[in-house]
Amino acid sequence: QYADDTQLFLLLDGGESRTSFSHLSRCLEAVADWLRESRLWLNPTKTEVLWLGPGGPGEETFLPTLDGVELIPQPRVKSLGVLLDSTLSMEDQITEVSRKAFYHLRQARCLSPYLSREDLATVIHATVTSRLDFCNSLYAGLPLYLIRKLQRVQNAAARLLSGIPGRAHITPVLKQLHWLPVDFRIRYKVLVLTFNALNGLGPAYLRDRLSLYTPQRVLRSQEKHLLVVPGPRVVRLSSTRARAFSALAPAWWNQLPEDLRALRDAKQFRRACKMVLFHQAYG
């Protein structure tokens, strides 16, 4: 048997990279020994390393080894179905999603003469929409030109389902289908993750990134279920403030209506949140 999807993370601090890599090597040796004892096959040639951060590893960086094989950092790796690059730009991931989605749209177009509208919608949701929504919270805060790639996929799917020509205005069609645009689907996913984290329905590491707003004195805003938006002193990099869950989620959460923030039922929140975003998208 093989051992798949085993991941290790290491934070390098300043000039302690050699010490940190030494700890990593010992950890890899311990993992390799445990896998052998558990009769799991270890394939070092398929083990991938991704260096996150500007500049990449320097020439003097000590590279760890796994079962005698030196692990060289790759420009991109796939983790749980998501392509990650060294700068977390998500450009490779979005390009791959768009390519596969358009392929399935072409296949669906060939089947469309033989399918009812309901069956065609099922095929599009199963093969295209599911890909647009998969891990789309990672796309929060990305540049507009990347989001437009995914929006073109959704527009093509809406045209195929509705049967309108390619040059027809797409916004009324999306509204009629009750489809949120891609950027609002991303916001919806982040808001649902925020709601789950605040109500004990999500992972603890997300809840730890959120802080309820507590004024120093008694104010009306104390009962409005607001979150603290970290300032520049806490999140120094502007790129991080634009994309980090700890900065973006509180800002989007605070923009919701007060009655929506006060909900405690997950099903009611999802329904109401989608309606609010739908009105924001289409007026």
Coordinates of all heavy atoms in Angstrom, one line a residue, residues 7-71:
Q7 N 1.3 15.6 4.5 CA 1.9 16.9 4.3 C 2.6 17.4 5.6 O 2.1 17.1 6.7 CB 0.8 17.9 4.0 CG 0.0 17.6 2.7 CD -0.9 18.7 2.2 OE1 -0.9 19.7 2.8 NE2 -1.7 18.4 1.2
L8 N 3.7 18.1 5.4 CA 4.4 18.7 6.5 C 4.6 20.2 6.1 O 4.9 20.5 5.0 CB 5.8 18.0 6.6 CG 5.8 16.5 7.0 CD1 7.2 16.0 7.0 CD2 5.2 16.3 8.4
F9 N 4.5 21.0 7.2 CA 4.7 22.5 7.0 C 5.8 22.9 7.9 O 5.9 22.5 9.1 CB 3.4 23.2 7.3 CG 2.3 22.8 6.5 CD1 1.4 21.8 6.8 CD2 2.0 23.5 5.3 CE1 0.4 21.4 6.0 CE2 1.0 23.1 4.5 CZ 0.1 22.1 4.9
L10 N 6.7 23.8 7.4 CA 7.8 24.3 8.2 C 7.9 25.8 8.0 O 8.0 26.3 6.9 CB 9.1 23.6 7.8 CG 10.4 24.1 8.5 CD1 10.3 23.7 10.0 CD2 11.6 23.5 7.9
L11 N 8.0 26.6 9.1 CA 8.1 28.0 9.1 C 9.6 28.3 9.4 O 10.2 28.0 10.4 CB 7.2 28.7 10.2 CG 7.4 30.2 10.3 CD1 7.0 30.9 9.0 CD2 6.6 30.7 11.5
L12 N 10.2 29.0 8.4 CA 11.6 29.4 8.6 C 11.7 30.8 9.1 O 11.0 31.7 8.6 CB 12.4 29.4 7.2 CG 12.4 28.0 6.6 CD1 13.2 28.1 5.3 CD2 12.9 27.0 7.5
D13 N 12.5 31.1 10.1 CA 12.6 32.3 10.8 C 14.0 32.9 10.6 O 15.0 32.4 11.3 CB 12.3 32.2 12.3 CG 12.2 33.6 13.0 OD1 12.2 34.6 12.3 OD2 12.1 33.6 14.2
G14 N 14.1 33.9 9.8 CA 15.4 34.6 9.7 C 16.6 33.7 9.3 O 16.5 32.9 8.3
G15 N 17.7 33.8 10.0 CA 18.9 33.1 9.7 C 18.9 31.7 10.3 O 20.0 31.0 10.3
E16 N 17.8 31.1 10.8 CA 17.8 29.8 11.4 C 17.3 28.8 10.4 O 16.8 27.7 10.8 CB 16.9 29.8 12.6 CG 17.3 30.8 13.7 CD 16.4 30.7 14.9 OE1 15.3 30.0 14.8 OE2 16.6 31.4 15.9
S17 N 17.5 29.0 9.1 CA 17.0 28.1 8.1 C 17.7 26.7 8.2 O 17.1 25.7 8.0 CB 17.2 28.7 6.7 OG 18.5 28.9 6.4
R18 N 19.0 26.7 8.4 CA 19.8 25.5 8.4 C 19.3 24.6 9.6 O 19.1 23.4 9.5 CB 21.3 25.7 8.5 CG 22.1 24.4 8.6 CD 23.6 24.7 8.4 NE 23.8 25.2 7.0 CZ 24.1 24.4 6.0 NH1 24.0 23.1 6.2 NH2 24.3 24.9 4.8
T19 N 19.1 25.3 10.8 CA 18.6 24.6 12.0 C 17.2 24.0 11.7 O 16.8 22.9 12.1 CB 18.6 25.5 13.2 OG1 19.9 26.0 13.4 CG2 18.1 24.7 14.4
S20 N 16.3 24.8 11.1 CA 15.0 24.4 10.8 C 14.9 23.2 9.8 O 14.2 22.3 10.0 CB 14.2 25.6 10.2 OG 14.1 26.7 11.1
F21 N 15.8 23.3 8.8 CA 15.8 22.2 7.8 C 16.4 20.9 8.5 O 16.0 19.8 8.1 CB 16.7 22.6 6.6 CG 15.9 23.3 5.6 CD1 16.2 24.6 5.2 CD2 14.8 22.7 4.9 CE1 15.5 25.2 4.2 CE2 14.1 23.3 3.9 CZ 14.4 24.6 3.6
S22 N 17.3 21.1 9.5 CA 17.8 19.9 10.2 C 16.7 19.3 11.0 O 16.5 18.0 11.0 CB 18.9 20.4 11.1 OG 19.4 19.3 11.9
H23 N 15.8 20.1 11.6 CA 14.6 19.5 12.3 C 13.7 18.8 11.3 O 13.2 17.8 11.6 CB 13.9 20.6 13.0 CG 14.6 21.2 14.2 ND1 15.4 20.5 15.0 CD2 14.7 22.5 14.6 CE1 15.9 21.2 16.0 NE2 15.5 22.5 15.7
L24 N 13.5 19.4 10.1 CA 12.7 18.8 9.1 C 13.2 17.5 8.7 O 12.5 16.5 8.5 CB 12.5 19.8 7.9 CG 11.7 19.2 6.7 CD1 10.3 18.9 7.1 CD2 11.7 20.2 5.6
S25 N 14.5 17.4 8.5 CA 15.1 16.1 8.0 C 14.9 15.0 9.0 O 14.6 13.9 8.7 CB 16.6 16.4 7.8 OG 16.8 17.2 6.7
R26 N 15.1 15.4 10.3 CA 14.8 14.4 11.4 C 13.4 14.0 11.4 O 13.0 12.8 11.6 CB 15.3 14.9 12.7 CG 16.8 15.1 12.9 CD 17.2 15.2 14.3 NE 16.7 16.4 14.9 CZ 17.3 17.6 14.9 NH1 18.5 17.7 14.3 NH2 16.8 18.7 15.5
C27 N 12.5 14.9 11.2 CA 11.1 14.6 11.1 C 10.8 13.7 9.9 O 10.0 12.7 10.1 CB 10.2 15.9 11.0 SG 8.5 15.7 11.0
L28 N 11.4 14.0 8.8 CA 11.2 13.1 7.6 C 11.7 11.7 7.8 O 11.1 10.7 7.4 CB 11.8 13.7 6.4 CG 11.2 15.0 5.8 CD1 12.1 15.6 4.7 CD2 9.8 14.8 5.3
E29 N 12.8 11.6 8.5 CA 13.3 10.3 8.9 C 12.4 9.5 9.8 O 12.1 8.3 9.6 CB 14.7 10.4 9.5 CG 15.8 10.9 8.6 CD 17.1 11.2 9.3 OE1 17.1 10.9 10.6 OE2 18.1 11.6 8.7
A30 N 11.8 10.2 10.7 CA 10.8 9.6 11.6 C 9.6 9.2 10.9 O 9.0 8.1 11.1 CB 10.5 10.5 12.8
V31 N 9.1 10.0 10.0 CA 7.9 9.6 9.2 C 8.2 8.4 8.3 O 7.4 7.5 8.2 CB 7.5 10.8 8.3 CG1 6.4 10.4 7.3 CG2 6.9 11.9 9.2
A32 N 9.4 8.4 7.7 CA 9.8 7.3 6.8 C 9.9 6.0 7.6 O 9.4 4.9 7.2 CB 11.1 7.6 6.1
D33 N 10.4 6.1 8.8 CA 10.5 4.9 9.7 C 9.1 4.4 10.1 O 8.9 3.2 10.1 CB 11.4 5.2 10.9 CG 12.8 5.4 10.6 OD1 13.3 5.0 9.5 OD2 13.5 6.1 11.4
W34 N 8.2 5.3 10.4 CA 6.9 4.9 10.8 C 6.1 4.3 9.6 O 5.4 3.3 9.8 CB 6.1 6.1 11.3 CG 4.7 5.8 11.7 CD1 4.3 5.4 13.0 CD2 3.5 5.9 10.9 NE1 3.0 5.2 13.0 CE2 2.5 5.5 11.8 CE3 3.3 6.2 9.6 CZ2 1.1 5.4 11.3 CZ3 2.0 6.2 9.1 CH2 0.9 5.8 10.0
L35 N 6.3 4.8 8.4 CA 5.7 4.2 7.3 C 6.1 2.8 7.0 O 5.4 1.9 6.6 CB 5.9 5.1 6.0 CG 5.2 6.5 6.1 CD1 5.6 7.3 4.9 CD2 3.7 6.3 6.1
R36 N 7.5 2.6 7.1 CA 8.0 1.2 6.9 C 7.4 0.3 8.0 O 7.1 -0.9 7.6 CB 9.5 1.3 7.0 CG 10.2 2.1 5.9 CD 11.7 1.8 5.9 NE 12.4 2.8 5.0 CZ 12.9 3.9 5.5 NH1 12.9 4.2 6.8 NH2 13.5 4.8 4.7
E37 N 7.4 0.7 9.2 CA 6.9 -0.1 10.3 C 5.4 -0.4 10.0 O 4.9 -1.5 10.5 CB 7.1 0.5 11.6 CG 8.6 0.6 12.0 CD 8.7 1.4 13.3 OE1 7.7 1.8 13.9 OE2 9.9 1.5 13.8
S38 N 4.7 0.5 9.4 CA 3.3 0.3 9.1 C 3.0 -0.4 7.8 O 1.9 -0.5 7.4 CB 2.5 1.6 9.2 OG 2.7 2.3 10.4
R39 N 4.1 -0.8 7.2 CA 4.0 -1.5 5.9 C 3.4 -0.7 4.8 O 2.6 -1.2 4.0 CB 3.3 -2.9 6.0 CG 4.0 -3.8 7.0 CD 3.3 -5.2 7.0 NE 4.0 -6.1 7.9 CZ 3.6 -7.4 8.1 NH1 2.5 -7.8 7.5 NH2 4.3 -8.1 8.9
L40 N 3.7 0.6 4.8 CA 3.2 1.5 3.8 C 4.4 1.9 2.9 O 5.5 2.1 3.4 CB 2.6 2.8 4.4 CG 1.3 2.6 5.2 CD1 0.9 3.9 5.9 CD2 0.2 2.2 4.2
W41 N 4.2 1.9 1.6 CA 5.3 2.1 0.6 C 5.5 3.6 0.5 O 4.6 4.4 0.3 CB 4.9 1.5 -0.7 CG 6.0 1.6 -1.7 CD1 6.1 2.6 -2.7 CD2 7.1 0.7 -1.9 NE1 7.3 2.4 -3.4 CE2 7.9 1.2 -2.9 CE3 7.4 -0.5 -1.2 CZ2 9.0 0.5 -3.3 CZ3 8.6 -1.1 -1.7 CH2 9.4 -0.6 -2.7
L42 N 6.8 4.0 0.7 CA 7.2 5.4 0.5 C 7.9 5.6 -0.8 O 8.9 4.9 -1.1 CB 8.1 5.7 1.7 CG 8.7 7.2 1.7 CD1 7.6 8.2 1.9 CD2 9.7 7.3 2.8
N43 N 7.4 6.5 -1.6 CA 8.0 6.8 -2.9 C 8.6 8.2 -2.9 O 7.9 9.2 -3.1 CB 6.9 6.7 -4.0 CG 7.6 6.7 -5.4 OD1 8.7 7.0 -5.5 ND2 6.8 6.3 -6.4
P44 N 9.9 8.4 -2.5 CA 10.5 9.8 -2.4 C 10.4 10.5 -3.7 O 10.4 11.8 -3.7 CB 11.9 9.5 -2.0 CG 12.0 8.1 -1.6 CD 10.8 7.4 -2.3
T45 N 10.5 9.8 -4.9 CA 10.5 10.5 -6.1 C 9.2 11.3 -6.4 O 9.2 12.2 -7.2 CB 10.8 9.6 -7.3 OG1 9.8 8.6 -7.3 CG2 12.1 8.9 -7.1
K46 N 8.1 10.9 -5.7 CA 6.8 11.6 -5.9 C 6.6 12.6 -4.8 O 5.5 13.2 -4.8 CB 5.7 10.6 -6.0 CG 5.7 9.8 -7.2 CD 4.4 8.9 -7.3 CE 4.4 8.2 -8.6 NZ 3.1 7.4 -8.8
T47 N 7.5 12.8 -3.9 CA 7.4 13.8 -2.9 C 7.7 15.2 -3.4 O 8.8 15.3 -4.0 CB 8.3 13.4 -1.7 OG1 7.9 12.2 -1.2 CG2 8.1 14.5 -0.6
E48 N 6.9 16.1 -3.2 CA 7.1 17.5 -3.7 C 7.3 18.5 -2.6 O 6.7 18.4 -1.5 CB 5.8 17.9 -4.5 CG 5.6 17.0 -5.8 CD 4.3 17.4 -6.5 OE1 3.3 17.6 -5.8 OE2 4.4 17.6 -7.7
V49 N 8.1 19.5 -2.9 CA 8.4 20.6 -1.9 C 8.1 21.9 -2.6 O 8.4 22.1 -3.7 CB 9.9 20.5 -1.5 CG1 10.2 21.7 -0.6 CG2 10.2 19.2 -0.8
L50 N 7.4 22.7 -1.8 CA 7.0 24.1 -2.3 C 7.6 25.1 -1.3 O 7.3 25.0 -0.1 CB 5.5 24.2 -2.4 CG 5.0 25.6 -2.9 CD1 5.4 25.8 -4.4 CD2 3.5 25.7 -2.8
W51 N 8.3 26.0 -1.9 CA 8.9 27.1 -1.0 C 8.0 28.3 -1.2 O 7.9 28.9 -2.3 CB 10.3 27.4 -1.5 CG 11.0 28.5 -0.7 CD1 10.7 29.9 -0.8 CD2 12.0 28.4 0.2 NE1 11.5 30.6 0.0 CE2 12.3 29.7 0.7 CE3 12.7 27.3 0.8 CZ2 13.3 29.9 1.7 CZ3 13.7 27.5 1.7 CH2 14.0 28.8 2.2
L52 N 7.3 28.7 -0.1 CA 6.5 29.9 -0.1 C 7.2 31.1 0.4 O 7.8 31.1 1.5 CB 5.2 29.6 0.8 CG 4.3 28.4 0.4 CD1 3.2 28.2 1.4 CD2 3.7 28.7 -1.0
G53 N 7.1 32.2 -0.4 CA 7.8 33.4 0.0 C 8.6 34.0 -1.1 O 8.8 33.3 -2.1
P54 N 8.9 35.3 -1.0 CA 9.6 36.0 -2.1 C 11.0 35.4 -2.2 O 11.7 35.1 -1.3 CB 9.6 37.4 -1.6 CG 9.5 37.4 -0.1 CD 8.7 36.2 0.2
G55 N 11.5 35.4 -3.5 CA 12.9 35.1 -3.7 C 13.2 33.6 -3.9 O 14.1 33.2 -4.6
G56 N 12.5 32.8 -3.1 CA 12.7 31.3 -3.2 C 14.0 31.0 -2.4 O 14.7 31.8 -1.8
P57 N 14.3 29.7 -2.3 CA 15.5 29.3 -1.5 C 16.8 29.8 -2.2 O 16.9 29.7 -3.4 CB 15.4 27.8 -1.5 CG 14.6 27.5 -2.8 CD 13.7 28.6 -3.0
G58 N 17.7 30.2 -1.4 CA 19.0 30.7 -1.9 C 19.9 29.5 -2.3 O 19.6 28.4 -2.0
E59 N 21.1 29.9 -2.8 CA 22.0 28.8 -3.2 C 22.6 28.1 -2.0 O 23.0 26.9 -2.1 CB 23.2 29.5 -4.0 CG 22.7 30.1 -5.3 CD 23.9 30.7 -6.1 OE1 25.0 30.7 -5.6 OE2 23.6 31.1 -7.3
E60 N 22.7 28.8 -0.9 CA 23.2 28.1 0.3 C 22.2 27.4 1.2 O 22.5 26.9 2.2 CB 24.0 29.2 1.2 CG 25.1 29.9 0.4 CD 25.8 30.9 1.3 OE1 25.3 31.1 2.4 OE2 26.8 31.4 0.9
T61 N 21.0 27.4 0.7 CA 19.9 26.8 1.5 C 20.1 25.2 1.5 O 20.4 24.6 0.5 CB 18.5 27.1 0.9 OG1 18.3 28.5 0.9 CG2 17.4 26.4 1.7
F62 N 20.0 24.7 2.7 CA 20.2 23.3 2.9 C 18.9 22.6 2.5 O 17.8 22.9 3.0 CB 20.5 23.0 4.4 CG 20.5 21.5 4.7 CD1 21.5 20.7 4.3 CD2 19.4 21.0 5.4 CE1 21.5 19.3 4.6 CE2 19.4 19.6 5.7 CZ 20.4 18.8 5.3
L63 N 19.0 21.7 1.5 CA 17.8 20.9 1.1 C 17.7 19.6 1.8 O 18.6 18.9 1.9 CB 17.9 20.7 -0.4 CG 17.9 21.9 -1.3 CD1 18.1 21.5 -2.8 CD2 16.7 22.8 -1.1
P64 N 16.5 19.3 2.3 CA 16.3 18.1 3.1 C 16.3 16.9 2.1 O 16.1 17.0 0.9 CB 15.0 18.3 3.8 CG 14.2 19.2 2.8 CD 15.3 20.1 2.3
T65 N 16.5 15.7 2.7 CA 16.5 14.5 2.0 C 15.4 13.5 2.6 O 15.2 13.6 3.8 CB 17.8 13.7 2.0 OG1 18.2 13.5 3.3 CG2 18.9 14.6 1.3
L66 N 14.9 12.7 1.8 CA 13.9 11.7 2.2 C 14.3 10.4 1.6 O 14.3 10.2 0.4 CB 12.5 12.1 1.7 CG 11.3 11.1 2.0 CD1 11.2 11.0 3.6 CD2 10.0 11.6 1.4
D67 N 14.7 9.5 2.5 CA 15.1 8.1 2.1 C 16.2 8.2 1.1 O 16.2 7.4 0.1 CB 13.9 7.4 1.6 CG 14.0 5.9 1.7 OD1 14.9 5.4 2.5 OD2 13.4 5.1 0.9
G68 N 17.1 9.1 1.3 CA 18.3 9.2 0.4 C 18.1 10.1 -0.8 O 19.0 10.3 -1.6
V69 N 16.9 10.6 -1.0 CA 16.6 11.4 -2.2 C 16.5 12.9 -1.8 O 15.7 13.2 -0.9 CB 15.3 11.0 -2.9 CG1 15.0 11.8 -4.1 CG2 15.4 9.5 -3.3
E70 N 17.3 13.7 -2.4 CA 17.2 15.2 -2.1 C 15.9 15.8 -2.7 O 15.6 15.6 -3.8 CB 18.4 15.9 -2.7 CG 18.6 17.3 -2.3 CD 19.8 18.0 -2.8 OE1 19.9 18.1 -4.1 OE2 20.7 18.3 -2.0
L71 N 15.3 16.5 -1.8 CA 14.0 17.2 -2.2 C 14.2 18.6 -2.7 O 14.6 19.5 -2.0 CB 13.0 17.2 -1.0 CG 12.7 15.8 -0.3 CD1 11.8 16.0 0.9 CD2 12.1 14.9 -1.4

